[in-house]
Amino acid sequence: MTITAGHLPAIVALIAGILILIMPRLLNYIVAIYLIFVGLVGMGLLKWLHL
């Protein structure tokens, strides 16, 4: 099974959901990291990752 850029958000969401269920205090950190990552990708600063 190959992981494409289309699968990446679903995998991240699944892992984040499981972590939030296990440790609800992680919600703030998970959301913050996700928003920072999306912002960096949106500004084109992570093009070297080819996402």
Side-chain angles (χ1 to χ4, degrees):
M1 179 177 155
T2 59
I3 298 174
T4 63
H7 292 117
L8 192 60
I11 293 169
V12 170
L14 181 63
I15 292 170
I18 291 169
L19 287 174
I20 291 168
L21 281 174
I22 294 170
M23 300 172 62
R25 299 179 103 196
L26 281 179
L27 178 61
N28 292 336
Y29 296 108
I30 291 172
V31 170
I33 291 168
Y34 175 76
L35 291 174
I36 291 168
F37 180 75
V38 168
L40 291 174
V41 170
M43 292 183 349
L45 297 177
L46 297 178
K47 284 189 177 186
W48 55 273
L49 288 177
H50 302 290
L51 295 177

Short mmCIF file of all heavy atoms in Angstrom, two decimals:
data_model
loop_
_atom_site.label_atom_id
_atom_site.label_comp_id
_atom_site.label_asym_id
_atom_site.label_seq_id
_atom_site.Cartn_x
_atom_site.Cartn_y
_atom_site.Cartn_z
N MET A 1 0.84 -1.18 0.00
CA MET A 1 0.00 0.00 0.00
C MET A 1 0.88 1.24 0.00
O MET A 1 1.76 1.40 0.84
CB MET A 1 -0.87 0.00 1.26
CG MET A 1 -1.77 1.18 1.38
SD MET A 1 -2.78 0.99 2.85
CE MET A 1 -3.12 2.67 3.16
N THR A 2 0.64 2.10 -0.97
CA THR A 2 1.41 3.34 -1.03
C THR A 2 0.59 4.48 -0.44
O THR A 2 -0.63 4.52 -0.56
CB THR A 2 1.77 3.68 -2.49
OG1 THR A 2 0.57 3.80 -3.23
CG2 THR A 2 2.64 2.60 -3.09
N ILE A 3 1.28 5.39 0.20
CA ILE A 3 0.62 6.55 0.81
C ILE A 3 0.84 7.74 -0.11
O ILE A 3 1.97 8.13 -0.37
CB ILE A 3 1.19 6.85 2.21
CG1 ILE A 3 0.92 5.66 3.13
CG2 ILE A 3 0.58 8.11 2.78
CD1 ILE A 3 1.56 5.78 4.49
N THR A 4 -0.25 8.30 -0.61
CA THR A 4 -0.15 9.47 -1.47
C THR A 4 -0.54 10.71 -0.69
O THR A 4 -1.00 10.63 0.45
CB THR A 4 -1.09 9.32 -2.69
OG1 THR A 4 -2.43 9.26 -2.22
CG2 THR A 4 -0.77 8.08 -3.48
N ALA A 5 -0.36 11.86 -1.30
CA ALA A 5 -0.70 13.13 -0.64
C ALA A 5 -2.19 13.18 -0.32
O ALA A 5 -2.59 13.85 0.62
CB ALA A 5 -0.30 14.30 -1.53
N GLY A 6 -3.01 12.47 -1.07
CA GLY A 6 -4.45 12.45 -0.81
C GLY A 6 -4.80 11.68 0.46
O GLY A 6 -5.80 11.95 1.11
N HIS A 7 -3.95 10.71 0.82
CA HIS A 7 -4.21 9.92 2.02
C HIS A 7 -3.67 10.58 3.28
O HIS A 7 -4.10 10.24 4.38
CB HIS A 7 -3.55 8.54 1.90
CG HIS A 7 -4.19 7.68 0.86
ND1 HIS A 7 -3.50 7.24 -0.23
CD2 HIS A 7 -5.43 7.17 0.76
CE1 HIS A 7 -4.31 6.49 -0.97
NE2 HIS A 7 -5.49 6.44 -0.39
N LEU A 8 -2.74 11.48 3.14
CA LEU A 8 -2.07 12.07 4.29
C LEU A 8 -3.02 12.76 5.27
O LEU A 8 -2.94 12.50 6.47
CB LEU A 8 -0.97 13.02 3.83
CG LEU A 8 -0.01 13.49 4.91
CD1 LEU A 8 0.72 12.32 5.54
CD2 LEU A 8 0.99 14.46 4.32
N PRO A 9 -3.93 13.62 4.83
CA PRO A 9 -4.85 14.26 5.79
C PRO A 9 -5.71 13.24 6.55
O PRO A 9 -5.98 13.43 7.74
CB PRO A 9 -5.71 15.17 4.95
CG PRO A 9 -4.93 15.42 3.73
CD PRO A 9 -4.12 14.18 3.49
N ALA A 10 -6.13 12.19 5.88
CA ALA A 10 -6.95 11.18 6.54
C ALA A 10 -6.16 10.43 7.60
O ALA A 10 -6.67 10.16 8.69
CB ALA A 10 -7.50 10.20 5.50
N ILE A 11 -4.92 10.13 7.32
CA ILE A 11 -4.07 9.43 8.28
C ILE A 11 -3.78 10.32 9.48
O ILE A 11 -3.87 9.88 10.62
CB ILE A 11 -2.76 8.96 7.60
CG1 ILE A 11 -3.08 7.89 6.56
CG2 ILE A 11 -1.77 8.44 8.62
CD1 ILE A 11 -1.92 7.54 5.66
N VAL A 12 -3.47 11.58 9.22
CA VAL A 12 -3.20 12.53 10.30
C VAL A 12 -4.45 12.70 11.16
O VAL A 12 -4.37 12.72 12.40
CB VAL A 12 -2.72 13.88 9.74
CG1 VAL A 12 -2.68 14.94 10.82
CG2 VAL A 12 -1.37 13.74 9.09
N ALA A 13 -5.61 12.82 10.54
CA ALA A 13 -6.86 12.98 11.29
C ALA A 13 -7.15 11.75 12.15
O ALA A 13 -7.58 11.88 13.29
CB ALA A 13 -8.01 13.24 10.34
N LEU A 14 -6.90 10.57 11.62
CA LEU A 14 -7.14 9.34 12.36
C LEU A 14 -6.22 9.25 13.58
O LEU A 14 -6.68 8.98 14.70
CB LEU A 14 -6.93 8.13 11.46
CG LEU A 14 -7.16 6.77 12.08
CD1 LEU A 14 -8.61 6.63 12.51
CD2 LEU A 14 -6.78 5.69 11.11
N ILE A 15 -4.94 9.51 13.39
CA ILE A 15 -3.99 9.46 14.50
C ILE A 15 -4.33 10.53 15.54
O ILE A 15 -4.32 10.26 16.74
CB ILE A 15 -2.55 9.63 13.98
CG1 ILE A 15 -2.17 8.41 13.14
CG2 ILE A 15 -1.57 9.84 15.12
CD1 ILE A 15 -0.88 8.56 12.39
N ALA A 16 -4.65 11.73 15.09
CA ALA A 16 -5.00 12.81 16.03
C ALA A 16 -6.25 12.46 16.81
O ALA A 16 -6.32 12.69 18.02
CB ALA A 16 -5.20 14.12 15.27
N GLY A 17 -7.24 11.89 16.16
CA GLY A 17 -8.47 11.50 16.85
C GLY A 17 -8.22 10.45 17.92
O GLY A 17 -8.77 10.53 19.02
N ILE A 18 -7.40 9.48 17.62
CA ILE A 18 -7.08 8.44 18.60
C ILE A 18 -6.33 9.04 19.78
O ILE A 18 -6.64 8.74 20.94
CB ILE A 18 -6.26 7.31 17.93
CG1 ILE A 18 -7.15 6.55 16.94
CG2 ILE A 18 -5.69 6.37 18.98
CD1 ILE A 18 -6.39 5.60 16.05
N LEU A 19 -5.36 9.91 19.50
CA LEU A 19 -4.61 10.54 20.59
C LEU A 19 -5.50 11.41 21.46
O LEU A 19 -5.35 11.44 22.69
CB LEU A 19 -3.46 11.37 20.02
CG LEU A 19 -2.29 10.59 19.46
CD1 LEU A 19 -1.28 11.53 18.81
CD2 LEU A 19 -1.62 9.77 20.55
N ILE A 20 -6.45 12.11 20.86
CA ILE A 20 -7.36 12.95 21.63
C ILE A 20 -8.26 12.10 22.51
O ILE A 20 -8.56 12.46 23.65
CB ILE A 20 -8.17 13.87 20.70
CG1 ILE A 20 -7.25 14.92 20.08
CG2 ILE A 20 -9.31 14.55 21.45
CD1 ILE A 20 -7.87 15.68 18.94
N LEU A 21 -8.70 10.96 22.01
CA LEU A 21 -9.51 10.07 22.82
C LEU A 21 -8.73 9.53 24.02
O LEU A 21 -9.26 9.40 25.11
CB LEU A 21 -10.03 8.89 21.99
CG LEU A 21 -11.21 9.19 21.09
CD1 LEU A 21 -11.52 7.97 20.22
CD2 LEU A 21 -12.42 9.58 21.90
N ILE A 22 -7.46 9.22 23.80
CA ILE A 22 -6.63 8.66 24.87
C ILE A 22 -6.23 9.75 25.86
O ILE A 22 -6.30 9.53 27.07
CB ILE A 22 -5.38 7.99 24.27
CG1 ILE A 22 -5.79 6.77 23.45
CG2 ILE A 22 -4.41 7.57 25.37
CD1 ILE A 22 -4.66 6.17 22.63
N MET A 23 -5.82 10.88 25.35
CA MET A 23 -5.33 11.97 26.20
C MET A 23 -5.97 13.29 25.76
O MET A 23 -5.40 14.01 24.94
CB MET A 23 -3.81 12.07 26.09
CG MET A 23 -3.08 10.82 26.51
SD MET A 23 -1.33 10.87 26.17
CE MET A 23 -0.80 12.23 27.15
N PRO A 24 -7.15 13.64 26.29
CA PRO A 24 -7.86 14.83 25.84
C PRO A 24 -7.07 16.14 26.00
O PRO A 24 -7.32 17.09 25.27
CB PRO A 24 -9.10 14.87 26.73
CG PRO A 24 -9.28 13.48 27.19
CD PRO A 24 -7.92 12.88 27.26
N ARG A 25 -6.11 16.20 26.90
CA ARG A 25 -5.34 17.42 27.07
C ARG A 25 -4.44 17.70 25.86
O ARG A 25 -3.94 18.81 25.69
CB ARG A 25 -4.48 17.33 28.32
CG ARG A 25 -5.31 17.16 29.57
CD ARG A 25 -4.45 17.05 30.78
NE ARG A 25 -4.52 18.33 31.48
CZ ARG A 25 -3.68 18.72 32.40
NH1 ARG A 25 -2.70 17.93 32.75
NH2 ARG A 25 -3.82 19.88 32.97
N LEU A 26 -4.23 16.71 25.01
CA LEU A 26 -3.41 16.90 23.81
C LEU A 26 -4.13 17.70 22.73
O LEU A 26 -3.50 18.12 21.77
CB LEU A 26 -3.02 15.55 23.21
CG LEU A 26 -1.87 14.80 23.86
CD1 LEU A 26 -1.65 13.48 23.15
CD2 LEU A 26 -0.61 15.62 23.82
N LEU A 27 -5.42 17.92 22.88
CA LEU A 27 -6.21 18.58 21.83
C LEU A 27 -5.60 19.93 21.45
O LEU A 27 -5.46 20.23 20.26
CB LEU A 27 -7.65 18.76 22.29
CG LEU A 27 -8.58 19.48 21.31
CD1 LEU A 27 -8.67 18.71 20.01
CD2 LEU A 27 -9.95 19.65 21.91
N ASN A 28 -5.24 20.73 22.42
CA ASN A 28 -4.68 22.05 22.11
C ASN A 28 -3.41 21.94 21.28
O ASN A 28 -3.22 22.68 20.31
CB ASN A 28 -4.37 22.81 23.41
CG ASN A 28 -5.62 23.18 24.15
OD1 ASN A 28 -6.69 23.30 23.57
ND2 ASN A 28 -5.49 23.37 25.44
N TYR A 29 -2.53 21.03 21.66
CA TYR A 29 -1.27 20.88 20.94
C TYR A 29 -1.48 20.33 19.53
O TYR A 29 -0.84 20.78 18.58
CB TYR A 29 -0.31 19.97 21.71
CG TYR A 29 0.08 20.56 23.05
CD1 TYR A 29 -0.42 20.02 24.22
CD2 TYR A 29 0.92 21.65 23.12
CE1 TYR A 29 -0.08 20.55 25.45
CE2 TYR A 29 1.28 22.19 24.34
CZ TYR A 29 0.77 21.64 25.50
OH TYR A 29 1.11 22.18 26.72
N ILE A 30 -2.36 19.36 19.42
CA ILE A 30 -2.61 18.75 18.10
C ILE A 30 -3.20 19.79 17.15
O ILE A 30 -2.77 19.91 16.00
CB ILE A 30 -3.52 17.52 18.24
CG1 ILE A 30 -2.76 16.40 18.95
CG2 ILE A 30 -4.02 17.06 16.88
CD1 ILE A 30 -3.60 15.21 19.32
N VAL A 31 -4.15 20.56 17.62
CA VAL A 31 -4.77 21.58 16.78
C VAL A 31 -3.74 22.66 16.41
O VAL A 31 -3.67 23.08 15.25
CB VAL A 31 -6.00 22.21 17.47
CG1 VAL A 31 -6.50 23.43 16.72
CG2 VAL A 31 -7.10 21.17 17.61
N ALA A 32 -2.94 23.08 17.37
CA ALA A 32 -1.93 24.10 17.10
C ALA A 32 -0.91 23.63 16.07
O ALA A 32 -0.59 24.36 15.12
CB ALA A 32 -1.23 24.50 18.38
N ILE A 33 -0.42 22.42 16.23
CA ILE A 33 0.56 21.88 15.28
C ILE A 33 -0.06 21.74 13.89
O ILE A 33 0.56 22.08 12.88
CB ILE A 33 1.11 20.52 15.78
CG1 ILE A 33 1.98 20.76 17.01
CG2 ILE A 33 1.89 19.80 14.70
CD1 ILE A 33 2.35 19.49 17.76
N TYR A 34 -1.30 21.27 13.84
CA TYR A 34 -1.98 21.12 12.55
C TYR A 34 -2.14 22.48 11.86
O TYR A 34 -1.87 22.61 10.67
CB TYR A 34 -3.34 20.46 12.76
CG TYR A 34 -4.16 20.38 11.50
CD1 TYR A 34 -3.87 19.44 10.53
CD2 TYR A 34 -5.21 21.26 11.27
CE1 TYR A 34 -4.59 19.36 9.37
CE2 TYR A 34 -5.95 21.20 10.11
CZ TYR A 34 -5.64 20.25 9.16
OH TYR A 34 -6.35 20.21 8.01
N LEU A 35 -2.58 23.48 12.60
CA LEU A 35 -2.78 24.80 12.01
C LEU A 35 -1.47 25.41 11.53
O LEU A 35 -1.42 26.03 10.46
CB LEU A 35 -3.47 25.73 13.01
CG LEU A 35 -4.92 25.38 13.32
CD1 LEU A 35 -5.45 26.28 14.43
CD2 LEU A 35 -5.79 25.48 12.09
N ILE A 36 -0.40 25.24 12.29
CA ILE A 36 0.90 25.74 11.86
C ILE A 36 1.35 25.04 10.59
O ILE A 36 1.82 25.67 9.63
CB ILE A 36 1.94 25.57 12.99
CG1 ILE A 36 1.61 26.53 14.13
CG2 ILE A 36 3.35 25.79 12.47
CD1 ILE A 36 2.39 26.25 15.40
N PHE A 37 1.18 23.72 10.55
CA PHE A 37 1.59 22.95 9.36
C PHE A 37 0.79 23.37 8.13
O PHE A 37 1.36 23.60 7.07
CB PHE A 37 1.40 21.45 9.63
CG PHE A 37 1.78 20.59 8.48
CD1 PHE A 37 3.12 20.37 8.19
CD2 PHE A 37 0.82 19.99 7.69
CE1 PHE A 37 3.48 19.57 7.12
CE2 PHE A 37 1.18 19.20 6.62
CZ PHE A 37 2.51 18.98 6.33
N VAL A 38 -0.53 23.51 8.28
CA VAL A 38 -1.37 23.91 7.16
C VAL A 38 -1.00 25.32 6.70
O VAL A 38 -0.96 25.60 5.50
CB VAL A 38 -2.87 23.82 7.54
CG1 VAL A 38 -3.74 24.50 6.50
CG2 VAL A 38 -3.27 22.36 7.70
N GLY A 39 -0.70 26.19 7.64
CA GLY A 39 -0.29 27.55 7.28
C GLY A 39 1.02 27.56 6.50
O GLY A 39 1.15 28.28 5.50
N LEU A 40 1.99 26.77 6.94
CA LEU A 40 3.27 26.71 6.23
C LEU A 40 3.11 26.13 4.84
O LEU A 40 3.70 26.62 3.88
CB LEU A 40 4.27 25.88 7.04
CG LEU A 40 4.76 26.51 8.34
CD1 LEU A 40 5.64 25.52 9.09
CD2 LEU A 40 5.51 27.80 8.06
N VAL A 41 2.30 25.09 4.71
CA VAL A 41 2.07 24.50 3.39
C VAL A 41 1.33 25.49 2.50
O VAL A 41 1.65 25.66 1.33
CB VAL A 41 1.27 23.18 3.52
CG1 VAL A 41 0.81 22.69 2.16
CG2 VAL A 41 2.12 22.12 4.20
N GLY A 42 0.34 26.19 3.07
CA GLY A 42 -0.42 27.17 2.30
C GLY A 42 0.43 28.32 1.80
O GLY A 42 0.18 28.87 0.73
N MET A 43 1.44 28.70 2.56
CA MET A 43 2.33 29.79 2.15
C MET A 43 3.43 29.29 1.22
O MET A 43 4.22 30.07 0.71
CB MET A 43 2.96 30.45 3.38
CG MET A 43 1.94 31.20 4.19
SD MET A 43 2.52 32.11 5.62
CE MET A 43 4.17 31.64 5.90
N GLY A 44 3.48 28.00 0.99
CA GLY A 44 4.45 27.43 0.06
C GLY A 44 5.83 27.25 0.66
O GLY A 44 6.80 27.05 -0.07
N LEU A 45 5.95 27.30 1.99
CA LEU A 45 7.26 27.18 2.61
C LEU A 45 7.73 25.74 2.71
O LEU A 45 8.89 25.49 3.03
CB LEU A 45 7.24 27.82 4.00
CG LEU A 45 6.95 29.31 4.02
CD1 LEU A 45 6.89 29.81 5.45
CD2 LEU A 45 8.03 30.06 3.24
N LEU A 46 6.86 24.79 2.47
CA LEU A 46 7.25 23.39 2.56
C LEU A 46 7.18 22.68 1.22
O LEU A 46 6.94 21.49 1.15
CB LEU A 46 6.34 22.67 3.60
CG LEU A 46 6.45 23.18 5.02
CD1 LEU A 46 5.49 22.41 5.92
CD2 LEU A 46 7.86 23.04 5.55
N LYS A 47 7.44 23.40 0.14
CA LYS A 47 7.38 22.78 -1.18
C LYS A 47 8.44 21.71 -1.35
O LYS A 47 8.29 20.81 -2.15
CB LYS A 47 7.54 23.84 -2.26
CG LYS A 47 6.31 24.66 -2.46
CD LYS A 47 6.41 25.53 -3.67
CE LYS A 47 5.11 26.26 -3.84
NZ LYS A 47 5.04 27.03 -5.06
N TRP A 48 9.52 21.79 -0.59
CA TRP A 48 10.58 20.80 -0.70
C TRP A 48 10.11 19.43 -0.23
O TRP A 48 10.73 18.42 -0.54
CB TRP A 48 11.82 21.25 0.05
CG TRP A 48 11.58 21.58 1.50
CD1 TRP A 48 11.19 22.78 2.00
CD2 TRP A 48 11.69 20.70 2.60
NE1 TRP A 48 11.04 22.70 3.35
CE2 TRP A 48 11.36 21.44 3.76
CE3 TRP A 48 12.06 19.36 2.75
CZ2 TRP A 48 11.37 20.87 5.03
CZ3 TRP A 48 12.07 18.81 4.01
CH2 TRP A 48 11.72 19.56 5.14
N LEU A 49 8.96 19.37 0.49
CA LEU A 49 8.41 18.08 0.89
C LEU A 49 7.52 17.48 -0.20
O LEU A 49 7.11 16.34 -0.12
CB LEU A 49 7.57 18.24 2.17
CG LEU A 49 8.33 18.49 3.44
CD1 LEU A 49 7.35 18.69 4.60
CD2 LEU A 49 9.25 17.34 3.76
N HIS A 50 7.24 18.26 -1.23
CA HIS A 50 6.38 17.84 -2.34
C HIS A 50 5.01 17.39 -1.88
O HIS A 50 4.50 16.36 -2.30
CB HIS A 50 7.05 16.73 -3.16
CG HIS A 50 8.38 17.12 -3.70
ND1 HIS A 50 8.54 18.04 -4.69
CD2 HIS A 50 9.63 16.74 -3.35
CE1 HIS A 50 9.81 18.20 -4.96
NE2 HIS A 50 10.52 17.42 -4.15
N LEU A 51 4.39 18.14 -0.94
CA LEU A 51 3.06 17.78 -0.47
C LEU A 51 2.05 18.51 -1.31
O LEU A 51 1.65 19.54 -1.20
CB LEU A 51 2.90 18.13 1.02
CG LEU A 51 3.81 17.31 1.93
CD1 LEU A 51 3.64 17.78 3.38
CD2 LEU A 51 3.47 15.85 1.85
#
